[in-house]
Every structure is written in structure tokens, then in C-alpha cells.
Amino acid sequence: MYEQIAGNKRKTVLLLVVSFLLLAAVGYAIGLITGTGWVGVAIAVALALVLQIGAYFKGDRLVLASARARAVTPEEEPRLHNIVEGLAIAAGVPKPAVYVVPEQAPNAFATGRDPEHSSVAVTQGLLETMNRVELEGVLGHEMAHVVDRDILYGTIVATVIGAIVLISEFFLRSWWWGGFGGRRSDRGNGNGGGAELIVFAIGFALLILAPLFGQLIRLAVSRNREYLADAQGAMLTRYPPGLISALKKIADAPHAMRSANNATAHLWFDQPSRIEGQQTGRMEKLFSTHPPIEERIRRLEEM
Amino acid sequence: MGWTLLIVGGVILLIVIFGIVSYNRFVQQRQLIKDAWANIDTELRRRYDLIPNLIETVKGYAAHEREIFEHVTEARTRAMGATGVEDQANAENAVTAGLGRLIAVAEAYPDLKANQNFLALQEELIGTESKIAYARQFYNDQVALLNTLVQKFPANVIAGLGHFEPKPFFEIDEPVRGPVQVDI
């Protein structure tokens, strides 16, 4: 457990450094394409600093807001609060803040920067479809993420990568529709078409690669972490059948979620999908942040 | 001459450093166990507070089950006065058993089972009992850690000097989890 916490802290620092460089690279690419040079880098670096500080301190708020999660009181949801408090006692950490997401697909996530500043959120659908032991199973999994500091890494990935993808998409689109013509007109007084074309190609490739790179970083986060959180959660509740039963119910339930998006997919208990009632396609599998539910059940049954 | 002095000094320094680190580890673990016990105590107290309300509510529908009410009240009084880990555990087992019987009685009265107040109290009771179980789990994990630490060489020397002793586990009956079923 302590190695995992240390590992997560190391990964978080690495992520911050890599994403900082990535943002600077994107800024450089934008500077090349728009012809503003180092101004792009300066803006990108400033942006990266603001973004990373913001992600560390306010990332959890951002993630909760993007899921439209609402804080609930113990009076509103006594069962949920009792379970979260019990699991926090079992794990020896302070009780996280409790949120409910207005979605019908049964799902849950945890966010925050450390156990002292953590939140767990469950969907309305999870509350309605799960009984007590199943709910305990799911929340035990989330509590494991809290204890291992997976939430810190996951939240920063969500915020920083989300922003990088958003920024480069924004520039790519605006360049596609407007900037292209403007750039072309001043090509005549450049140092020669060939060299500039190469520079342009590099910048363009960077823009395309940035979101892909972000995707790869995120893939490295999740799958094994999910198996581990399943196992740790089951250790916490000392009752693997609860989690197994919850996973089985989730496998049969509809997955479509309105607030699902690429930047936060890896945070959820089960991979959220935007497509109603569709089986997981090959492409989705390739880019999936979570292991298949059947495999998670199988590993738990072997415990 | 100088070398031997240096080596002897170095070894003594290492031993002293080990002693300090080991001693602090024991102090830390002892504090953790104290906190864990406080957690158990909080939840046990919450349960004591629930019992009179629960009895009052059930009384309104099943006044003639006086024997059970008295039994639970008695067990509660005894548990509140219990001292020491083992005594507390025995007393709590009596409370848990009594409450189990009380809830089982309530099952026979459909009007009571539909009572909002009773349902809220029942959720509070289930929640509290599972928190007691979790607090116990954490406490026993920490005690187990201390007890191994105290016995291991060479830390056991420090434990002996600092009077750190193995602590008793808090052994109580687990509340029955029941089969996995849909109960909305």
C-alpha cells in the first residue's frame, strides 16, 4: 500500500512535468502555425502553470461539477452516508464528502487530492438498484482509490489532459476554419516554402499527437488500478460477494450517461459510454480505460 | 587506535538511532490503537443512544413484549458500565443479541415495519452496527501490528525498555450480513 502511495505521488509529479512540456510543445506548434513564434510558448507556459495549480487544488470541484454531482446530507441519504462513514473507519481515513450524480446508469467515482480532501459520488441509478452489501462493495472500491491516492493522479489527469485536448481541438478547429487563409497570405515573404512546410508539418503533427499522447498517459493509469481497487475494496468490506453481485448488476444495466466525457472516463467505477445500449466495439476496447467486467468478476471470485 | 574508536562510536550511534526510530514507531502505533478504540467507543455510544428510542417505538405496537425490552435495557446498562476490552466485548455481545431479538419481534408487526420512525431507527441501527464492525476491524488490525512489532527482534528490546506490551483483541460477534438480495 505504501509503495502504491509513493508510486502514485511519483507518477503525479511525472505527469505534471510531462504535461507541462506537452503544453509548451503545443504552444510552440501553435506559435509556428500562426506565425507568432515564442509568444505561443509564453502563453502556453503561463496557462500550464495556472492549469496545474488549479488542477491540484480545485480539480475535484471541476470533476464533480462536470458530472453535475450534488452534495447530499446524512438526512437525505442516511444509508449512503452510513456506508461511507463505516468504510472510512475501516480504512482509517477521514470521511469523504458524499455526492449524488443525477444519472440512471449505476456508477460511482472518487476524487480529491488526499484522504483529507476527498469526495465520493454515486449515481442515482446506483442508489436505486443496489442493496446495502452491493453498495458497500462499490464504495469499498472507491475508498481503495482514496487510500492509495489514485484520486490525486486520476483527478489531475482528468483536468490537465482534458484541458490539453480541449485547447488543441480549439486551435485545430479555428485554424481549419479561419486561420488557414491568414497564414497562407503571408507565406510569400517567408524564408522559402519548403522549409516552412516542414515546420508546419511538425506543428501540425504535434497538434494531432498531443491528444493521442494524453490518451496514452491515461491508459497507463487505469486497468491494473481497477483490479487492485477491486481487491482492496473487497479486503476492506471483508465481503467479496457484495462487490461481485454489484458488478453483475452493472453488467446487465444500461451504461449510457449524459455527463460521460473522455476526460473523466477513467475516474468512474465502470466505464461510462455515450452510446445507448451498444455492445463494446473493438475500437472502444482498444481505448477503454477499464478492464471488462467479466474479468473483474472472475478475479474477485478467485480471491 | 583511532579507527577502532571510530568504528565503536559508529556502531553505538547506529544503535541509538535504531532505538529512537523504533521507540517512536511504538509510540505512534500505541496512539493509533488509542484512536481506533475511541472510534469503537463513539459507535458503541451511538448504539446506546438509539436503544431507548427503538424500544419506545416498538412498545407502541407490541407493548406486551416486556421481557425483551427489559432484557435489552439491562444489557445496555451493563455494557455502558463495562471496563476493559474483554468485559466490553462480552457486554456488547449481549446487547447485539438482544437487539437482534427486538428486531425479529418487530418483524411480526406489519404496522410497525411500515412506521417511518421505526424504519429510520432501523437504518441507523444497521449503519451503527456495521460501523462498530468496521471500527473493530481497524482496531484489531492495528493491535495485530503492534503485537508482532513487540515480539520481533531486535525491536522487542526497545519494547521491553519502553514497557510496550501486546494488547488484547476486541472480539465480538459479527452482525449477520445476510445473503445478497434485492431489498429496495
Side-chain angles (χ1 to χ4, degrees):
Chain A
M1 194 179 89
Y2 293 104
E3 303 93 81
Q4 274 140 32
I5 294 173
N8 269 324
K9 284 181 178 163
R10 243 190 340 265
K11 277 202 302 187
T12 306
V13 172
L14 188 71
L15 173 78
L16 288 176
V17 171
V18 168
S19 63
F20 184 87
L21 293 175
L22 197 65
L23 265 175
V26 171
Y28 185 63
I30 290 163
L32 283 181
I33 291 172
T34 57
T36 46
W38 291 98
V39 178
V41 180
I43 291 172
V45 164
L47 202 70
L49 281 178
V50 171
L51 189 71
Q52 295 190 341
I53 292 166
Y56 184 80
F57 287 104
K58 294 280 175 214
D60 52 344
R61 304 281 123 206
L62 212 67
V63 168
L64 286 164
S66 84
R68 289 174 296 124
R70 185 177 65 87
V72 288
T73 63
E75 287 72 33
E76 285 174 275
E77 289 293 343
R79 186 178 63 159
L80 181 61
H81 268 273
N82 274 333
I83 293 174
V84 171
E85 196 182 342
L87 288 164
I89 290 171
V93 296
K95 182 184 172 194
V98 180
Y99 287 80
V100 170
V101 178
E103 291 273 1
Q104 281 312 304
N107 218 332
F109 69 84
T111 182
R113 61 176 187 270
D114 52 34
E116 284 73 34
H117 305 86
S118 63
S119 312
V120 292
V122 301
T123 62
Q124 195 63 43
L126 191 85
L127 285 178
E128 282 162 15
T129 50
M130 301 292 160
N131 66 27
R132 190 181 202 96
V133 283
E134 290 160 346
L135 210 52
E136 265 184 334
V138 172
L139 287 164
H141 170 105
E142 297 308 330
M143 199 56 80
H145 281 319
V146 171
V147 172
D148 284 352
R149 307 291 199 285
D150 284 341
I151 49 169
L152 171 66
Y153 188 61
T155 303
I156 288 183
V157 168
T159 337
V160 173
I161 300 298
I164 291 181
V165 171
L166 214 68
I167 291 166
S168 55
E169 260 176 21
F170 170 78
F171 274 99
L172 211 56
R173 267 181 207 154
S174 65
W175 169 79
W176 198 253
W177 296 118
F180 195 35
R183 202 208 61 81
R184 212 179 219 178
S185 62
D186 57 20
R187 194 206 249 173
N189 46 33
N191 308 341
E196 196 176 278
L197 207 69
I198 292 166
V199 165
F200 166 72
I202 293 169
F204 190 74
L206 263 180
L207 271 184
I208 302 263
L209 280 179
L212 261 177
F213 191 47
Q215 185 75 30
L216 284 174
I217 293 177
R218 217 171 61 210
L219 279 177
V221 186
S222 286
R223 297 200 201 172
N224 277 321
R225 311 298 315 163
E226 294 307 315
Y227 289 129
L228 209 66
D230 279 348
Q232 267 182 355
M235 290 264 285
L236 218 52
T237 62
R238 308 267 154 109
Y239 196 65
L243 181 53
I244 291 172
S245 173
L247 282 166
K248 281 179 179 159
K249 268 191 190 173
I250 286 173
D252 294 335
H255 290 251
M257 284 179 43
R258 278 173 300 154
S259 56
N261 63 59
N262 274 327
T264 57
H266 62 284
L267 287 174
W268 289 91
F269 177 74
D270 173 41
Q271 176 139 31
S273 162
R274 273 183 282 197
I275 313 146
E276 184 99 45
Q278 189 167 317
Q279 284 296 307
T280 328
R282 208 192 306 168
M283 198 59 188
E284 208 170 316
K285 242 180 212 156
L286 195 69
F287 281 98
S288 71
T289 53
H290 288 59
I293 281 195
E294 301 74 37
E295 181 63 19
R296 289 170 71 181
I297 292 173
R298 202 184 60 73
R299 292 198 183 194
L300 277 167
E301 278 170 345
E302 277 174 5
M303 275 179 75
Chain B
M1 263 312 270
W3 276 108
T4 27
L5 208 68
L6 212 65
I7 288 169
V8 169
V11 166
I12 289 172
L13 192 71
L14 277 179
I15 290 173
V16 168
I17 289 174
F18 168 80
I20 292 171
V21 169
S22 175
Y23 185 84
N24 285 343
R25 179 80 188 83
F26 279 121
V27 171
Q28 192 193 359
Q29 193 60 22
R30 191 170 57 183
Q31 187 58 39
L32 213 56
I33 289 170
K34 220 171 160 186
D35 293 346
W37 182 258
N39 268 341
I40 296 179
D41 204 49
T42 309
E43 298 309 325
L44 290 179
R45 255 161 236 294
R46 190 175 297 179
R47 187 160 73 162
Y48 302 149
D49 292 345
L50 275 172
I51 290 170
N53 283 335
L54 197 64
I55 288 178
E56 276 313 305
T57 313
V58 177
K59 240 183 204 166
Y61 292 83
H64 56 280
E65 308 274 5
R66 186 171 304 137
E67 188 252 326
I68 294 178
F69 302 148
E70 280 169 5
H71 175 76
V72 175
T73 311
E74 219 171 88
R76 171 180 180 266
T77 316
R78 202 181 95 59
M80 286 174 82
T83 47
V85 172
E86 208 171 313
D87 189 27
Q88 188 84 57
N90 289 331
E92 293 308 330
N93 281 340
V95 175
T96 308
L99 281 170
R101 276 177 67 201
L102 188 67
I103 295 293
V105 162
E107 291 288 315
Y109 299 86
D111 287 350
L112 175 59
K113 268 172 71 186
N115 180 308
Q116 280 305 315
N117 194 22
F118 175 72
L119 286 176
L121 282 170
Q122 197 184 16
E123 165 56 38
E124 220 22 62
L125 182 68
I126 296 170
T128 307
E129 296 208 319
S130 79
K131 275 180 253 174
I132 293 173
Y134 281 132
R136 180 195 77 116
Q137 185 178 309
F138 184 70
Y139 173 84
N140 284 347
D141 285 353
Q142 299 310 322
V143 167
L145 215 62
L146 177 79
N147 292 356
T148 341
L149 222 60
V150 164
Q151 286 165 37
K152 260 192 198 163
F153 182 83
N156 61 355
V157 179
I158 306 297
L161 288 173
H163 302 291
F164 295 100
E165 280 156 11
K167 289 197 182 288
F169 290 104
F170 186 51
E171 307 273 17
I172 48 169
D173 300 337
E174 279 282 328
V176 185
R177 297 245 196 179
V180 180
Q181 59 191 356
V182 190
D183 56 352
I184 306 167

